[in-house]
Structures are given as C-alpha cells and as structure tokens.
Amino acid sequence: MTEVIVVGAGPTGLTLACELALAGVDTVVLERLPHRIRQTKGGAVQPRTQELLELRGLLEPMQARAVSREPLGGHFALLPVPLDCTVWDTAHPHVLSLPQWEIEEVLEERATGLGVEVLRDTPVTSVEQSDHGVTVTAAGRRFEARHLVACDGAHSTVRKLLGVPFPGRPGTFTAVLADVRLASASDLVPTEPGHISTLTREAEDGWGMLLPLGGDRYRFTGGRLDGDEPAKDEPVTLQEIAGLLRHVYGERTVPAEVENASRFSDATRQIDNYRAGHVSFAGDAAHIHPPYGGQGLNLGVQDAFNLGWKLAAVLRGYASADLLDTYHSERHPAGAWVLHITQAQRVFAAPRPGADVVELREVFTGLMRLPETNRHLAGLMSGLSHAYDLPGTHPLTGHRVPGPDPALFRSGRPVLLDAAGILPPGLGAAPAQPANGLPGAALIRPDGYVAWAADTDPDLDVLTANACWPLLGGS
C-alpha cells in the first residue's frame, strides 16, 4: 500500500508528486498516456509560479530550457498594453516561456530522483473508497493508498468515475492549437515573437495567431468565424490547418507539416468541492476556463504547492484532517477568481467584436496605460497580488513577501525568520536582512505565504499554535 496515488503526469500532478516526496510521502503517479506529448502549449510560467518553483530549486533548470526572446510583460485580453510586474518587487517580473513538455521533464526528473514511481500507459478504470483509503484499478493492476489526488485534466476520469459534478458554462467556440512547419510564408507571417496583441489576425471567415519558434517552426492557434466548427473530438487534419492559414495569412502561406495538433474551447467549469473523502482534485480536473492570459498551468501548479505540504502534514501526523480542509477553502476561491477574470477577457478578446465592444476596448486600453490600473491587472494575471484569508492581525498574514532567501525553502518545510531580532534564540529562527515589506519576524509556509508575523512584542503562544509550527522540525 502506497500513501498517495496521483493520477495524471502533467505539471500539476508532477509538482504535487515532488512536494509529497520531498516530505517523505510514498507516492506513485499513474498516467494514461504511454508517452509525453511534445506540443508547444501551456508554457507561460507566470511570475508568482516562478517564485514558487525557485523555492524548490526547480526554476533554474526551466530557465535553461526557456525560449530565448526579449523580456515581455503579460497581457490582459490580448489588448496592446504589456502588463508591468516590475512594480511588484519580484526577481521574476517577466513571463517565462518554454513548452509544457519541457516543464514536465524537469518536474519528472526531480520527482523520480526523490523516489516517485511514474507509471505510464496506465489508465485508471475504477476508483473505490473505504474508511481507510482508496483502491484504484489501472491497466489491470490494483493500487491501494491512503489518499488519491486527481490531476488528470479537464476530462478527468477520476471525477467521472466518482460522479463528481462539473458545473459551469459550455464553450462558445472550438479552436485549433498546433505545431507546424511552413513550406512558404507570406509577408503577413511574423518573423519575430512580440507582444501577443501584435500576433493575432482576423480574416473574413477565420482568425489565427502564428508564434515563431525558430526557423520554419510556428505555433499556430486559430479557428473559424462562420460557425462551421468541427466537433471538439474530431482529429485535426493538415487540410484544415492549411485552409485556416490560407484564409488568414494568404495563399502563399502553406504548411509543410503538422507535428501535432489538438482542439480547445472556452468552456468554464469548476467543481463545488476540491475534496471528496480520501480524494482531492487539482488543476484542470478541478477547474477549466478560457485560455486568456496564460493562467491554466499556473493555477494548477499553485494548487499543487498549496495541497502538497498540507497532505504530507496530515499523513505524517503533524496536523489533523482539518488542515486538509483548508486546501478547498483557499484554492476554490482562487480558482473561481481566475475563472472570473478569464471570462471577463472574453468580451475584449472576441475575434470579431461588435462596434460597442471596439469602443470599449479603446477606453479600457487607455485605462491600462495608467500606472495603478496596470499594476492591478499585472498583479492579478501574474499571481503576485494573490493572498489567502488566514487568521492573524498582522497586515501581511496570508500574503507573499519578497526578500527571503529561496534556498531556505529547499526542504519544503516552513521557515521562521527573524529580521528584527525579536524572537528568543531557542526557537531556531533563521536570521534575515531587513528588507522592504519583510516583517520583523515571520513564519512563512512551505508555499511561500506568511502564516504568522509580528513587528514588535511577538505573541509566542499564537506562533506555536499555528498549524505550520509542528512542521518546522519535521522530517
């Protein structure tokens, strides 16, 4: 019997496996696909996600694989004003771009190095719960665990097998995402990456976006505007992509090869509870939303950072099951907010907006040039402004704080910092240099959020009663 089964070897599932294994939790990952899909998708790593990855030493190997380009700010609804995250006091103010499959390779290498077993070509066919845990049948084998986490995507098998509803609104369009090689290209095809607002084109009956990947390789996103869209499960053909490219970029733009392709929609859904007995849900298995602003991968990875240390603490006996309940109470609102802001962007990003929307876009674009508006939107889209509603009177409780050495968090444990010399020596606090925004003393959770803070006269009873306190010396 293993301790945790993670279903799905995408970025969410592999991040969670790393977090659990770092805490010494016996973990196995079940993945239905026999091989990783090498498709250029989901590769926008937002600033807050980069901060979290850096805490575990995972950011540097991803930076080494990143697509080389001029630093770019994020975007809101494809509008032509880059979002500026430099005002958020972060070491990583720009979006990091690399293919999702390379992110997965880095995460899987770390996970297996920590002892995680990743079983591919192992689709789950049944999930049964008991008072003591979960029994899973996958590829004809039975697996038993104390807990299961479904990270198996928008069409989650685990969610369906357990009959967990996935309420929300269906998509209003279906589009294609493909890696293509061009045999020839018109002057309309971009030769250099730029802000996303410069890459989208619309024609009479279609729209498209070509992102240069080097040489003759491009990532193509596009679809039809006449309502004659193929079904979401219909295979993408070379002829279909050739037609879209011809309509949007002219007769001279001809694909030589489609390396891989898939379809997506702008459906918006979220489960009502991220936990069902001994099963938790994370990533797209828990929430899906329109693909605006590069939010999906980041939301799932942040789910994993939130859940990992909590699940490990409960399984190791450092915390009661009540701590696991806070995964839902913290991450469900976070997911709901991302759904909210991505749906809002749908109005501006529609390929063929009405006259009133065109006017509204111009007004909102002007607002985005105002520093305070840009800062607000940059904080939302990057995740840097996100905070949790945690108990405590200090204004930084529940917030991220810049400044602490990321190396202090390599073990996956909480960190007690004393920047003002106000804590007794016997608590084992790490010294810290006073910095802007850093409290006099702080207990920082494994996921980088302040669990407790004080500037003077620290209440040690409140500190030692915090759920993170028992984890400071945990193994």
Side-chain angles (χ1 to χ4, degrees), residues 44 116 167 187 225 228 287 314 347 354-355 382 414 443 463:
V116 174
D187 293 339
L225 292 172
D228 187 21
H287 43 68
V314 172
V347 177
S382 66
L443 177 62
L463 169 61

Side-chain angles (χ1 to χ4, degrees), residues 346-362:
R346 190 197 323 248
V347 177
F348 290 135
R352 186 173 290 168
D356 291 342
V357 173
V358 171
E359 300 292 340
L360 183 61
R361 283 177 59 131
E362 292 185 7

Side-chain angles (χ1 to χ4, degrees), residues 33-272:
L33 296 176
H35 306 288
R36 184 175 290 113
I37 297 176
R38 296 198 170 197
Q39 185 176 16
T40 309
K41 64 174 184 177
V45 185
Q46 296 288 351
R48 180 55 183 155
T49 306
Q50 292 178 57
E51 290 181 342
L52 293 171
L53 293 168
E54 188 177 36
L55 298 182
R56 304 294 189 265
L58 288 163
L59 181 60
E60 186 174 354
M62 292 187 191
Q63 290 173 324
R65 295 167 173 249
V67 177
S68 178
R69 62 174 59 172
E70 289 295 317
L72 294 174
H75 72 91
F76 185 86
L78 309 180
L79 296 176
V81 181
L83 299 177
D84 181 11
C85 289
T86 61
V87 297
W88 279 96
D89 193 10
T90 177
H92 310 289
H94 305 295
V95 175
L96 184 71
S97 298
L98 70 163
Q100 179 174 313
W101 64 267
E102 297 215 49
I103 295 173
E104 293 171 0
E105 278 194 350
V106 171
L107 293 170
E108 185 168 344
E109 182 178 348
R110 172 64 62 84
T112 54
L114 291 168
V116 174
E117 188 176 14
V118 179
L119 300 178
R120 295 188 176 275
D121 201 13
T122 310
V124 171
T125 53
S126 80
V127 177
E128 300 175 2
Q129 295 202 62
S130 68
D131 293 339
H132 306 292
V134 182
T135 300
V136 173
T137 302
R141 297 175 57 185
R142 285 172 62 84
F143 300 85
E144 294 183 344
R146 294 176 62 186
H147 201 89
L148 181 150
V149 185
C151 305
D152 52 343
H155 303 287
S156 170
T157 297
V158 174
R159 193 184 63 233
K160 293 174 181 176
L161 288 171
L162 293 178
V164 174
F166 203 29
R169 57 181 291 181
T172 61
F173 69 82
T174 299
V176 167
L177 177 64
D179 292 334
V180 302
R181 291 185 181 274
L182 297 184
S184 61
S186 73
D187 293 339
L188 298 176
V189 174
T191 57
E192 296 290 337
H195 191 262
I196 195 168
S197 61
T198 68
L199 300 176
T200 303
R201 289 188 55 80
E202 178 190 336
E204 181 178 350
D205 56 358
W207 65 275
M209 180 192 306
L210 279 170
L211 176 67
L213 299 176
D216 61 354
R217 295 186 68 244
Y218 286 79
R219 185 182 73 181
F220 173 68
T221 311
R224 301 186 64 86
L225 292 172
D226 57 8
D228 187 21
E229 300 170 341
K232 193 171 185 298
D233 57 354
E234 186 174 329
V236 180
T237 64
L238 175 64
Q239 291 73 22
E240 179 183 354
I241 297 226
L244 287 169
L245 288 171
R246 183 172 61 252
H247 287 310
V248 179
Y249 292 95
E251 296 288 340
R252 289 172 49 201
T253 304
V254 179
E257 179 186 5
V258 176
E259 295 180 336
N260 51 64
S262 59
R263 300 188 193 277
F264 67 92
S265 79
D266 62 340
T268 301
R269 300 184 183 277
Q270 185 180 32
I271 60 176
D272 292 330

Side-chain angles (χ1 to χ4, degrees), residues 392-457:
T393 58
H394 195 282
L396 289 179
T397 303
H399 291 256
R400 62 176 278 275
V401 287
D405 182 358
L408 293 171
F409 296 84
R410 292 289 189 268
S411 69
R413 300 177 189 170
V415 173
L416 183 62
L417 293 177
D418 189 359
I422 62 175
L423 294 177
L427 293 181
Q433 293 296 322
N436 291 335
L438 190 64
L443 177 62
I444 302 179
R445 303 189 331 181
D447 58 353
Y449 291 90
V450 175
W452 170 92
D455 292 314
T456 58
D457 302 322

Side-chain angles (χ1 to χ4, degrees), residues 332-419:
H332 190 280
W337 182 246
V338 170
L339 266 62
H340 177 67
I341 61 176
T342 51
Q343 287 185 95
Q345 292 174 79
R346 190 197 323 248
V347 177
F348 290 135
R352 186 173 290 168
D356 291 342
V357 173
V358 171
E359 300 292 340
L360 183 61
R361 283 177 59 131
E362 292 185 7
V363 171
F364 199 83
T365 298
L367 291 173
M368 287 181 65
R369 300 187 193 281
L370 300 176
E372 281 305 307
T373 305
N374 195 291
R375 181 183 188 278
H376 175 71
L377 292 175
L380 291 180
M381 301 302 290
S382 66
L384 294 171
S385 65
H386 181 73
Y388 295 120
D389 185 14
L390 303 182
T393 58
H394 195 282
L396 289 179
T397 303
H399 291 256
R400 62 176 278 275
V401 287
D405 182 358
L408 293 171
F409 296 84
R410 292 289 189 268
S411 69
R413 300 177 189 170
V415 173
L416 183 62
L417 293 177
D418 189 359

